[in-house]
Amino acid sequence: NEWLGETTLSMKNEENGNRTRRGKGRHNSVHEILNGLAKGEGDLHPALERRVRDFRLAQRKRREKYGSEKPWGILGLYEHLSSIRIDLEWAEDAAWRRQQSEPYLSWSDFEKARAKGSNRPYFIYLLTLLCTVMLIASIGVNGWKIEPLSVNPMIGPSAESLLTLGAKQSALIVTEGEWYRLFSPMILHAGVAHYLLNMLALYFVGTAIEQNHGFLNSAIAFVLAGVGGTVLSAIFLPQFISVGASGGIFGLIGMCVSDIFVNWNLLFVKEAGDEKDYRFRHAMVLMWLLFDILINCLIGLTPFVDNFTHVGGLVYGFLCGLSTIERLEVGFFGVATTTWGKIKNSLVRFAGLILSVVMIMVTTILLVESDGVSSPCHNCRYVSCVPFPPGRENKWWYCDDCNQVTADAHKRDASSPVFDFLDLTCPDGSIERIDIVEDGLGDSDGLLKALPSYCRDYCENVFNA
């Protein structure tokens, strides 16, 4: 955009004013304009026709360099949309250079120049560095050891170590006033597996977003979605300890979806005679969008990662995108925007901003007025965590509160090498006396590891009251 300047905008307005077709009236859609030119039936204003042909040339050059695109899934669709944006910008730049008698810049040189300098994803680089430092710090706080998969399947530290570094827990936020825990979980991760998955998603999705919409818009979407998702999680899953950049990443994904939504008509160009294939492509795209979202939500069914953060981040990112993203300009093609269309676009952008602010305010008030312990929806925990694998007695992970129980162990004979019984405080506050002499536990470390199993075997209620 830095090559275009104000001259491009004035030229665009002039061309739009002369977009009347010389024989049949003006085209009604972008598809009709592109297809008409492809079949040699274009009779647009000469300047506009040249711009549209430049766009077609850029698309052909892209296919020659990268091959035919198959934009399935959110990321595939967004990359396809990004390529359309670059090709439109190049056609704009070529038109401006013609008007200013400036040297011609080839499509390949334009694409290379666009990926350099200030257009690098510096926010993504900074965020990746912070997440890496905090992952190392969390393992260090955990005594430089990794917890068993039964405790943390993400190959990482204990819940206590994550809490020390700022993991989300509603009681600490509400009763202790540790409001920084609405922000700190965004740069913490449950373990190496969680970190690698998130950084991979952040690199591909975040880089595409930042290079198209800039540092500030990307940072706003990430932070707003991350905080908004954490607030929802704190309300509905107060006892869950959760961390991860997932809320912010889902915010960036929501921004992708928003961009796809507002520019849907430019994603696919319907060629003559391919009505059936055109509809099939749209159906496949919608299916893959839903599939992508479903897979990411399934990841939220594991411990320390929750779907309230994911879904909240996705919604906030989508609304933020409606208000902040730079839209592709259909006026480039000489298609007039009606008064109602302009009003509708303004309302959509205004609504996205207002809804984001209102939702943040309402959910924050609900969190402040809660006790930080009880959830308004007790069974909502299963939206975010499911014991796995089902039907197996010794599961890889559980979704109860037994990892937080405490107990007093006793010996009838002080000289005995093992504990005889213990008074276990269950998650709901009740106390169960358990005879453990036959288990042969004589040290505190072994007893601590066995407490969750005793809780599940003897406590009537394995959830915090």
Side-chain angles (χ1 to χ4, degrees), residues 279-322:
R279 291 179 178 177
F280 173 75
R281 279 184 292 163
H282 274 70
M284 288 294 293
V285 164
L286 287 172
M287 184 190 74
W288 277 104
L289 279 173
L290 294 174
F291 180 75
D292 264 15
I293 294 172
L294 176 63
I295 289 298
N296 281 284
C297 287
L298 288 177
I299 295 174
L301 297 178
T302 59
F304 305 142
V305 186
D306 66 78
N307 275 332
F308 282 98
T309 300
H310 287 180
V311 175
L314 185 70
V315 171
Y316 280 113
F318 180 82
L319 294 174
C320 188
L322 291 179

mmCIF file of all heavy atoms in Angstrom, residues 279-322:
data_model
loop_
_atom_site.group_PDB
_atom_site.id
_atom_site.type_symbol
_atom_site.label_atom_id
_atom_site.label_comp_id
_atom_site.label_asym_id
_atom_site.label_seq_id
_atom_site.Cartn_x
_atom_site.Cartn_y
_atom_site.Cartn_z
ATOM 1 N N ARG A 279 -20.649 -24.667 -7.015
ATOM 2 C CA ARG A 279 -21.398 -24.964 -5.790
ATOM 3 C C ARG A 279 -20.698 -26.022 -4.955
ATOM 4 O O ARG A 279 -20.685 -25.950 -3.728
ATOM 5 C CB ARG A 279 -22.807 -25.416 -6.150
ATOM 6 C CG ARG A 279 -23.682 -24.306 -6.745
ATOM 7 C CD ARG A 279 -25.058 -24.827 -7.099
ATOM 8 N NE ARG A 279 -25.910 -23.751 -7.619
ATOM 9 C CZ ARG A 279 -27.145 -23.943 -8.051
ATOM 10 N NH1 ARG A 279 -27.691 -25.164 -8.018
ATOM 11 N NH2 ARG A 279 -27.852 -22.925 -8.523
ATOM 12 N N PHE A 280 -20.098 -27.005 -5.629
ATOM 13 C CA PHE A 280 -19.385 -28.067 -4.910
ATOM 14 C C PHE A 280 -18.198 -27.487 -4.138
ATOM 15 O O PHE A 280 -17.955 -27.843 -2.987
ATOM 16 C CB PHE A 280 -18.907 -29.124 -5.903
ATOM 17 C CG PHE A 280 -18.032 -30.177 -5.284
ATOM 18 C CD1 PHE A 280 -18.587 -31.184 -4.489
ATOM 19 C CD2 PHE A 280 -16.656 -30.161 -5.472
ATOM 20 C CE1 PHE A 280 -17.783 -32.155 -3.909
ATOM 21 C CE2 PHE A 280 -15.852 -31.131 -4.895
ATOM 22 C CZ PHE A 280 -16.421 -32.127 -4.119
ATOM 23 N N ARG A 281 -17.457 -26.577 -4.756
ATOM 24 C CA ARG A 281 -16.312 -25.960 -4.086
ATOM 25 C C ARG A 281 -16.756 -25.180 -2.846
ATOM 26 O O ARG A 281 -16.108 -25.248 -1.802
ATOM 27 C CB ARG A 281 -15.573 -25.023 -5.052
ATOM 28 C CG ARG A 281 -14.630 -25.745 -6.006
ATOM 29 C CD ARG A 281 -13.866 -24.761 -6.842
ATOM 30 N NE ARG A 281 -14.726 -24.064 -7.773
ATOM 31 C CZ ARG A 281 -14.384 -22.929 -8.386
ATOM 32 N NH1 ARG A 281 -13.237 -22.362 -8.131
ATOM 33 N NH2 ARG A 281 -15.213 -22.351 -9.236
ATOM 34 N N HIS A 282 -17.852 -24.450 -2.961
ATOM 35 C CA HIS A 282 -18.353 -23.715 -1.811
ATOM 36 C C HIS A 282 -18.763 -24.661 -0.680
ATOM 37 O O HIS A 282 -18.483 -24.400 0.490
ATOM 38 C CB HIS A 282 -19.558 -22.845 -2.222
ATOM 39 C CG HIS A 282 -19.168 -21.520 -2.769
ATOM 40 N ND1 HIS A 282 -18.555 -21.384 -3.988
ATOM 41 C CD2 HIS A 282 -19.295 -20.259 -2.258
ATOM 42 C CE1 HIS A 282 -18.337 -20.098 -4.221
ATOM 43 N NE2 HIS A 282 -18.768 -19.390 -3.188
ATOM 44 N N ALA A 283 -19.412 -25.765 -1.045
ATOM 45 C CA ALA A 283 -19.833 -26.739 -0.027
ATOM 46 C C ALA A 283 -18.617 -27.367 0.644
ATOM 47 O O ALA A 283 -18.597 -27.553 1.875
ATOM 48 C CB ALA A 283 -20.701 -27.821 -0.671
ATOM 49 N N MET A 284 -17.579 -27.700 -0.133
ATOM 50 C CA MET A 284 -16.368 -28.296 0.434
ATOM 51 C C MET A 284 -15.655 -27.314 1.353
ATOM 52 O O MET A 284 -15.140 -27.683 2.413
ATOM 53 C CB MET A 284 -15.434 -28.737 -0.692
ATOM 54 C CG MET A 284 -15.912 -29.967 -1.449
ATOM 55 S SD MET A 284 -15.927 -31.447 -0.385
ATOM 56 C CE MET A 284 -14.182 -31.676 -0.087
ATOM 57 N N VAL A 285 -15.615 -26.067 0.952
ATOM 58 C CA VAL A 285 -14.960 -25.050 1.780
ATOM 59 C C VAL A 285 -15.662 -24.925 3.131
ATOM 60 O O VAL A 285 -15.026 -24.891 4.185
ATOM 61 C CB VAL A 285 -14.954 -23.698 1.036
ATOM 62 C CG1 VAL A 285 -14.644 -22.559 2.010
ATOM 63 C CG2 VAL A 285 -13.927 -23.724 -0.072
ATOM 64 N N LEU A 286 -16.990 -24.864 3.110
ATOM 65 C CA LEU A 286 -17.742 -24.772 4.363
ATOM 66 C C LEU A 286 -17.511 -26.001 5.231
ATOM 67 O O LEU A 286 -17.369 -25.896 6.455
ATOM 68 C CB LEU A 286 -19.234 -24.618 4.053
ATOM 69 C CG LEU A 286 -19.663 -23.252 3.500
ATOM 70 C CD1 LEU A 286 -21.125 -23.301 3.062
ATOM 71 C CD2 LEU A 286 -19.456 -22.151 4.522
ATOM 72 N N MET A 287 -17.448 -27.174 4.600
ATOM 73 C CA MET A 287 -17.214 -28.404 5.353
ATOM 74 C C MET A 287 -15.848 -28.377 6.027
ATOM 75 O O MET A 287 -15.711 -28.728 7.204
ATOM 76 C CB MET A 287 -17.312 -29.613 4.419
ATOM 77 C CG MET A 287 -17.175 -30.950 5.147
ATOM 78 S SD MET A 287 -16.997 -32.352 4.022
ATOM 79 C CE MET A 287 -15.304 -32.124 3.472
ATOM 80 N N TRP A 288 -14.819 -27.927 5.313
ATOM 81 C CA TRP A 288 -13.478 -27.890 5.886
ATOM 82 C C TRP A 288 -13.353 -26.813 6.966
ATOM 83 O O TRP A 288 -12.590 -26.980 7.925
ATOM 84 C CB TRP A 288 -12.443 -27.659 4.789
ATOM 85 C CG TRP A 288 -12.067 -28.941 4.101
ATOM 86 C CD1 TRP A 288 -12.453 -29.369 2.871
ATOM 87 C CD2 TRP A 288 -11.235 -29.976 4.629
ATOM 88 N NE1 TRP A 288 -11.927 -30.598 2.601
ATOM 89 C CE2 TRP A 288 -11.173 -31.000 3.649
ATOM 90 C CE3 TRP A 288 -10.545 -30.150 5.830
ATOM 91 C CZ2 TRP A 288 -10.435 -32.171 3.841
ATOM 92 C CZ3 TRP A 288 -9.809 -31.315 6.015
ATOM 93 C CH2 TRP A 288 -9.763 -32.299 5.031
ATOM 94 N N LEU A 289 -14.075 -25.720 6.808
ATOM 95 C CA LEU A 289 -14.083 -24.715 7.867
ATOM 96 C C LEU A 289 -14.611 -25.311 9.168
ATOM 97 O O LEU A 289 -14.020 -25.152 10.241
ATOM 98 C CB LEU A 289 -14.943 -23.523 7.456
ATOM 99 C CG LEU A 289 -14.325 -22.484 6.527
ATOM 100 C CD1 LEU A 289 -15.380 -21.475 6.091
ATOM 101 C CD2 LEU A 289 -13.166 -21.767 7.195
ATOM 102 N N LEU A 290 -15.737 -26.013 9.070
ATOM 103 C CA LEU A 290 -16.328 -26.648 10.250
ATOM 104 C C LEU A 290 -15.404 -27.734 10.803
ATOM 105 O O LEU A 290 -15.270 -27.885 12.019
ATOM 106 C CB LEU A 290 -17.697 -27.237 9.899
ATOM 107 C CG LEU A 290 -18.779 -26.220 9.535
ATOM 108 C CD1 LEU A 290 -20.044 -26.942 9.055
ATOM 109 C CD2 LEU A 290 -19.104 -25.311 10.711
ATOM 110 N N PHE A 291 -14.764 -28.487 9.918
ATOM 111 C CA PHE A 291 -13.857 -29.556 10.343
ATOM 112 C C PHE A 291 -12.665 -28.979 11.102
ATOM 113 O O PHE A 291 -12.255 -29.515 12.144
ATOM 114 C CB PHE A 291 -13.381 -30.343 9.123
ATOM 115 C CG PHE A 291 -12.448 -31.474 9.460
ATOM 116 C CD1 PHE A 291 -12.934 -32.647 10.038
ATOM 117 C CD2 PHE A 291 -11.088 -31.368 9.202
ATOM 118 C CE1 PHE A 291 -12.068 -33.688 10.354
ATOM 119 C CE2 PHE A 291 -10.225 -32.413 9.511
ATOM 120 C CZ PHE A 291 -10.714 -33.576 10.083
ATOM 121 N N ASP A 292 -12.098 -27.883 10.598
ATOM 122 C CA ASP A 292 -10.971 -27.233 11.279
ATOM 123 C C ASP A 292 -11.354 -26.801 12.687
ATOM 124 O O ASP A 292 -10.604 -27.018 13.647
ATOM 125 C CB ASP A 292 -10.536 -26.000 10.478
ATOM 126 C CG ASP A 292 -9.362 -26.312 9.554
ATOM 127 O OD1 ASP A 292 -9.099 -27.504 9.343
ATOM 128 O OD2 ASP A 292 -8.732 -25.373 9.063
ATOM 129 N N ILE A 293 -12.504 -26.168 12.807
ATOM 130 C CA ILE A 293 -12.957 -25.692 14.121
ATOM 131 C C ILE A 293 -13.201 -26.870 15.057
ATOM 132 O O ILE A 293 -12.855 -26.834 16.244
ATOM 133 C CB ILE A 293 -14.224 -24.836 13.965
ATOM 134 C CG1 ILE A 293 -13.887 -23.551 13.195
ATOM 135 C CG2 ILE A 293 -14.825 -24.497 15.322
ATOM 136 C CD1 ILE A 293 -15.097 -22.722 12.826
ATOM 137 N N LEU A 294 -13.789 -27.962 14.532
ATOM 138 C CA LEU A 294 -14.050 -29.146 15.349
ATOM 139 C C LEU A 294 -12.766 -29.760 15.877
ATOM 140 O O LEU A 294 -12.668 -30.105 17.063
ATOM 141 C CB LEU A 294 -14.833 -30.172 14.522
ATOM 142 C CG LEU A 294 -15.102 -31.522 15.199
ATOM 143 C CD1 LEU A 294 -15.981 -31.327 16.434
ATOM 144 C CD2 LEU A 294 -15.761 -32.497 14.235
ATOM 145 N N ILE A 295 -11.748 -29.900 15.036
ATOM 146 C CA ILE A 295 -10.469 -30.485 15.457
ATOM 147 C C ILE A 295 -9.846 -29.660 16.574
ATOM 148 O O ILE A 295 -9.348 -30.188 17.570
ATOM 149 C CB ILE A 295 -9.505 -30.591 14.260
ATOM 150 C CG1 ILE A 295 -9.981 -31.675 13.286
ATOM 151 C CG2 ILE A 295 -8.089 -30.888 14.724
ATOM 152 C CD1 ILE A 295 -10.014 -33.076 13.875
ATOM 153 N N ASN A 296 -9.871 -28.334 16.422
ATOM 154 C CA ASN A 296 -9.283 -27.481 17.453
ATOM 155 C C ASN A 296 -10.054 -27.560 18.761
ATOM 156 O O ASN A 296 -9.465 -27.472 19.843
ATOM 157 C CB ASN A 296 -9.233 -26.033 16.952
ATOM 158 C CG ASN A 296 -8.076 -25.795 15.996
ATOM 159 O OD1 ASN A 296 -6.936 -25.690 16.398
ATOM 160 N ND2 ASN A 296 -8.385 -25.744 14.716
ATOM 161 N N CYS A 297 -11.369 -27.737 18.664
ATOM 162 C CA CYS A 297 -12.167 -27.888 19.885
ATOM 163 C C CYS A 297 -11.893 -29.229 20.563
ATOM 164 O O CYS A 297 -11.919 -29.320 21.792
ATOM 165 C CB CYS A 297 -13.656 -27.763 19.567
ATOM 166 S SG CYS A 297 -14.178 -26.076 19.180
ATOM 167 N N LEU A 298 -11.607 -30.270 19.786
ATOM 168 C CA LEU A 298 -11.272 -31.573 20.371
ATOM 169 C C LEU A 298 -9.976 -31.492 21.167
ATOM 170 O O LEU A 298 -9.821 -32.156 22.191
ATOM 171 C CB LEU A 298 -11.149 -32.634 19.264
ATOM 172 C CG LEU A 298 -12.465 -33.079 18.618
ATOM 173 C CD1 LEU A 298 -12.196 -34.063 17.486
ATOM 174 C CD2 LEU A 298 -13.397 -33.708 19.649
ATOM 175 N N ILE A 299 -9.035 -30.678 20.703
ATOM 176 C CA ILE A 299 -7.795 -30.481 21.450
ATOM 177 C C ILE A 299 -8.098 -29.879 22.819
ATOM 178 O O ILE A 299 -7.414 -30.141 23.809
ATOM 179 C CB ILE A 299 -6.831 -29.576 20.660
ATOM 180 C CG1 ILE A 299 -6.391 -30.285 19.363
ATOM 181 C CG2 ILE A 299 -5.607 -29.203 21.493
ATOM 182 C CD1 ILE A 299 -5.551 -29.429 18.449
ATOM 183 N N GLY A 300 -9.173 -29.092 22.895
ATOM 184 C CA GLY A 300 -9.557 -28.473 24.154
ATOM 185 C C GLY A 300 -10.148 -29.430 25.159
ATOM 186 O O GLY A 300 -10.480 -29.025 26.279
ATOM 187 N N LEU A 301 -10.293 -30.707 24.800
ATOM 188 C CA LEU A 301 -10.823 -31.702 25.727
ATOM 189 C C LEU A 301 -9.741 -32.333 26.594
ATOM 190 O O LEU A 301 -10.010 -33.242 27.362
ATOM 191 C CB LEU A 301 -11.565 -32.804 24.950
ATOM 192 C CG LEU A 301 -12.797 -32.342 24.161
ATOM 193 C CD1 LEU A 301 -13.407 -33.514 23.408
ATOM 194 C CD2 LEU A 301 -13.834 -31.709 25.080
ATOM 195 N N THR A 302 -8.493 -31.851 26.463
ATOM 196 C CA THR A 302 -7.388 -32.360 27.268
ATOM 197 C C THR A 302 -7.165 -31.459 28.483
ATOM 198 O O THR A 302 -7.606 -30.293 28.487
ATOM 199 C CB THR A 302 -6.093 -32.426 26.443
ATOM 200 O OG1 THR A 302 -5.786 -31.117 25.962
ATOM 201 C CG2 THR A 302 -6.265 -33.366 25.262
ATOM 202 N N PRO A 303 -6.475 -31.936 29.525
ATOM 203 C CA PRO A 303 -6.251 -31.124 30.725
ATOM 204 C C PRO A 303 -5.445 -29.859 30.438
ATOM 205 O O PRO A 303 -4.606 -29.829 29.545
ATOM 206 C CB PRO A 303 -5.463 -32.066 31.645
ATOM 207 C CG PRO A 303 -5.796 -33.430 31.166
ATOM 208 C CD PRO A 303 -5.980 -33.310 29.685
ATOM 209 N N PHE A 304 -5.693 -28.816 31.232
ATOM 210 C CA PHE A 304 -4.998 -27.531 31.191
ATOM 211 C C PHE A 304 -5.315 -26.712 29.936
ATOM 212 O O PHE A 304 -4.771 -25.633 29.749
ATOM 213 C CB PHE A 304 -3.473 -27.704 31.320
ATOM 214 C CG PHE A 304 -3.037 -28.469 32.521
ATOM 215 C CD1 PHE A 304 -1.974 -29.357 32.454
ATOM 216 C CD2 PHE A 304 -3.685 -28.326 33.736
ATOM 217 C CE1 PHE A 304 -1.566 -30.066 33.562
ATOM 218 C CE2 PHE A 304 -3.284 -29.027 34.853
ATOM 219 C CZ PHE A 304 -2.227 -29.907 34.762
ATOM 220 N N VAL A 305 -6.110 -27.248 29.021
ATOM 221 C CA VAL A 305 -6.504 -26.524 27.815
ATOM 222 C C VAL A 305 -8.014 -26.576 27.762
ATOM 223 O O VAL A 305 -8.593 -27.660 27.816
ATOM 224 C CB VAL A 305 -5.914 -27.181 26.546
ATOM 225 C CG1 VAL A 305 -6.216 -26.323 25.331
ATOM 226 C CG2 VAL A 305 -4.424 -27.426 26.688
ATOM 227 N N ASP A 306 -8.690 -25.430 27.680
ATOM 228 C CA ASP A 306 -10.146 -25.483 27.768
ATOM 229 C C ASP A 306 -10.829 -24.835 26.577
ATOM 230 O O ASP A 306 -10.339 -23.876 25.995
ATOM 231 C CB ASP A 306 -10.644 -24.870 29.082
ATOM 232 C CG ASP A 306 -10.380 -23.389 29.181
ATOM 233 O OD1 ASP A 306 -11.124 -22.622 28.557
ATOM 234 O OD2 ASP A 306 -9.418 -23.012 29.879
ATOM 235 N N ASN A 307 -11.988 -25.392 26.246
ATOM 236 C CA ASN A 307 -12.733 -24.953 25.077
ATOM 237 C C ASN A 307 -13.441 -23.624 25.290
ATOM 238 O O ASN A 307 -13.811 -22.973 24.308
ATOM 239 C CB ASN A 307 -13.755 -26.012 24.666
ATOM 240 C CG ASN A 307 -13.144 -27.069 23.776
ATOM 241 O OD1 ASN A 307 -12.185 -26.793 23.056
ATOM 242 N ND2 ASN A 307 -13.672 -28.271 23.820
ATOM 243 N N PHE A 308 -13.647 -23.217 26.519
ATOM 244 C CA PHE A 308 -14.238 -21.903 26.730
ATOM 245 C C PHE A 308 -13.266 -20.816 26.262
ATOM 246 O O PHE A 308 -13.670 -19.803 25.687
ATOM 247 C CB PHE A 308 -14.612 -21.698 28.203
ATOM 248 C CG PHE A 308 -15.881 -22.393 28.584
ATOM 249 C CD1 PHE A 308 -15.848 -23.626 29.206
ATOM 250 C CD2 PHE A 308 -17.115 -21.833 28.280
ATOM 251 C CE1 PHE A 308 -17.020 -24.287 29.546
ATOM 252 C CE2 PHE A 308 -18.293 -22.484 28.617
ATOM 253 C CZ PHE A 308 -18.244 -23.717 29.249
ATOM 254 N N THR A 309 -11.992 -21.028 26.504
ATOM 255 C CA THR A 309 -10.981 -20.112 25.989
ATOM 256 C C THR A 309 -10.966 -20.142 24.468
ATOM 257 O O THR A 309 -10.879 -19.100 23.809
ATOM 258 C CB THR A 309 -9.591 -20.482 26.538
ATOM 259 O OG1 THR A 309 -9.618 -20.406 27.969
ATOM 260 C CG2 THR A 309 -8.534 -19.542 26.016
ATOM 261 N N HIS A 310 -11.050 -21.357 23.890
ATOM 262 C CA HIS A 310 -11.028 -21.496 22.432
ATOM 263 C C HIS A 310 -12.222 -20.808 21.779
ATOM 264 O O HIS A 310 -12.065 -19.967 20.890
ATOM 265 C CB HIS A 310 -11.027 -22.975 22.052
ATOM 266 C CG HIS A 310 -9.730 -23.654 22.309
ATOM 267 N ND1 HIS A 310 -9.521 -24.983 22.026
ATOM 268 C CD2 HIS A 310 -8.564 -23.206 22.830
ATOM 269 C CE1 HIS A 310 -8.286 -25.317 22.363
ATOM 270 N NE2 HIS A 310 -7.694 -24.259 22.856
ATOM 271 N N VAL A 311 -13.417 -21.174 22.233
ATOM 272 C CA VAL A 311 -14.630 -20.629 21.616
ATOM 273 C C VAL A 311 -14.733 -19.124 21.872
ATOM 274 O O VAL A 311 -15.087 -18.346 20.970
ATOM 275 C CB VAL A 311 -15.880 -21.360 22.157
ATOM 276 C CG1 VAL A 311 -17.153 -20.713 21.617
ATOM 277 C CG2 VAL A 311 -15.836 -22.834 21.765
ATOM 278 N N GLY A 312 -14.415 -18.704 23.104
ATOM 279 C CA GLY A 312 -14.435 -17.274 23.403
ATOM 280 C C GLY A 312 -13.460 -16.508 22.531
ATOM 281 O O GLY A 312 -13.790 -15.443 21.988
ATOM 282 N N GLY A 313 -12.248 -17.044 22.374
ATOM 283 C CA GLY A 313 -11.254 -16.400 21.516
ATOM 284 C C GLY A 313 -11.717 -16.314 20.073
ATOM 285 O O GLY A 313 -11.519 -15.293 19.399
ATOM 286 N N LEU A 314 -12.342 -17.388 19.583
ATOM 287 C CA LEU A 314 -12.824 -17.404 18.204
ATOM 288 C C LEU A 314 -13.882 -16.321 17.980
ATOM 289 O O LEU A 314 -13.841 -15.588 16.979
ATOM 290 C CB LEU A 314 -13.408 -18.785 17.884
ATOM 291 C CG LEU A 314 -13.844 -19.023 16.441
ATOM 292 C CD1 LEU A 314 -12.639 -19.103 15.524
ATOM 293 C CD2 LEU A 314 -14.666 -20.316 16.339
ATOM 294 N N VAL A 315 -14.824 -16.202 18.913
ATOM 295 C CA VAL A 315 -15.901 -15.206 18.781
ATOM 296 C C VAL A 315 -15.335 -13.786 18.853
ATOM 297 O O VAL A 315 -15.655 -12.924 18.020
ATOM 298 C CB VAL A 315 -16.971 -15.410 19.878
ATOM 299 C CG1 VAL A 315 -17.968 -14.261 19.884
ATOM 300 C CG2 VAL A 315 -17.688 -16.741 19.667
ATOM 301 N N TYR A 316 -14.463 -13.536 19.831
ATOM 302 C CA TYR A 316 -13.882 -12.201 19.955
ATOM 303 C C TYR A 316 -13.031 -11.859 18.736
ATOM 304 O O TYR A 316 -13.036 -10.708 18.265
ATOM 305 C CB TYR A 316 -13.038 -12.105 21.228
ATOM 306 C CG TYR A 316 -13.851 -11.874 22.471
ATOM 307 C CD1 TYR A 316 -13.948 -12.845 23.460
ATOM 308 C CD2 TYR A 316 -14.532 -10.679 22.674
ATOM 309 C CE1 TYR A 316 -14.695 -12.643 24.609
ATOM 310 C CE2 TYR A 316 -15.280 -10.459 23.817
ATOM 311 C CZ TYR A 316 -15.358 -11.445 24.780
ATOM 312 O OH TYR A 316 -16.105 -11.231 25.919
ATOM 313 N N GLY A 317 -12.279 -12.825 18.235
ATOM 314 C CA GLY A 317 -11.457 -12.581 17.055
ATOM 315 C C GLY A 317 -12.297 -12.252 15.837
ATOM 316 O O GLY A 317 -11.961 -11.367 15.040
ATOM 317 N N PHE A 318 -13.420 -12.974 15.686
ATOM 318 C CA PHE A 318 -14.319 -12.722 14.558
ATOM 319 C C PHE A 318 -14.894 -11.309 14.640
ATOM 320 O O PHE A 318 -14.897 -10.560 13.658
ATOM 321 C CB PHE A 318 -15.442 -13.753 14.553
ATOM 322 C CG PHE A 318 -16.432 -13.587 13.428
ATOM 323 C CD1 PHE A 318 -16.145 -14.084 12.168
ATOM 324 C CD2 PHE A 318 -17.632 -12.938 13.633
ATOM 325 C CE1 PHE A 318 -17.041 -13.926 11.124
ATOM 326 C CE2 PHE A 318 -18.537 -12.770 12.600
ATOM 327 C CZ PHE A 318 -18.239 -13.270 11.337
ATOM 328 N N LEU A 319 -15.384 -10.930 15.832
ATOM 329 C CA LEU A 319 -15.960 -9.598 16.003
ATOM 330 C C LEU A 319 -14.903 -8.508 15.829
ATOM 331 O O LEU A 319 -15.163 -7.462 15.223
ATOM 332 C CB LEU A 319 -16.598 -9.481 17.383
ATOM 333 C CG LEU A 319 -17.824 -10.369 17.633
ATOM 334 C CD1 LEU A 319 -18.275 -10.258 19.080
ATOM 335 C CD2 LEU A 319 -18.959 -9.998 16.693
ATOM 336 N N CYS A 320 -13.713 -8.767 16.348
ATOM 337 C CA CYS A 320 -12.620 -7.803 16.202
ATOM 338 C C CYS A 320 -12.254 -7.638 14.732
ATOM 339 O O CYS A 320 -11.992 -6.533 14.252
ATOM 340 C CB CYS A 320 -11.409 -8.273 17.006
ATOM 341 S SG CYS A 320 -10.064 -7.085 17.094
ATOM 342 N N GLY A 321 -12.263 -8.751 13.991
ATOM 343 C CA GLY A 321 -11.954 -8.701 12.571
ATOM 344 C C GLY A 321 -12.953 -7.873 11.792
ATOM 345 O O GLY A 321 -12.583 -7.122 10.879
ATOM 346 N N LEU A 322 -14.229 -7.999 12.136
ATOM 347 C CA LEU A 322 -15.256 -7.215 11.448
ATOM 348 C C LEU A 322 -14.990 -5.719 11.579
ATOM 349 O O LEU A 322 -15.323 -4.932 10.684
ATOM 350 C CB LEU A 322 -16.643 -7.532 12.022
ATOM 351 C CG LEU A 322 -17.225 -8.914 11.740
ATOM 352 C CD1 LEU A 322 -18.592 -9.052 12.410
ATOM 353 C CD2 LEU A 322 -17.346 -9.177 10.247
#
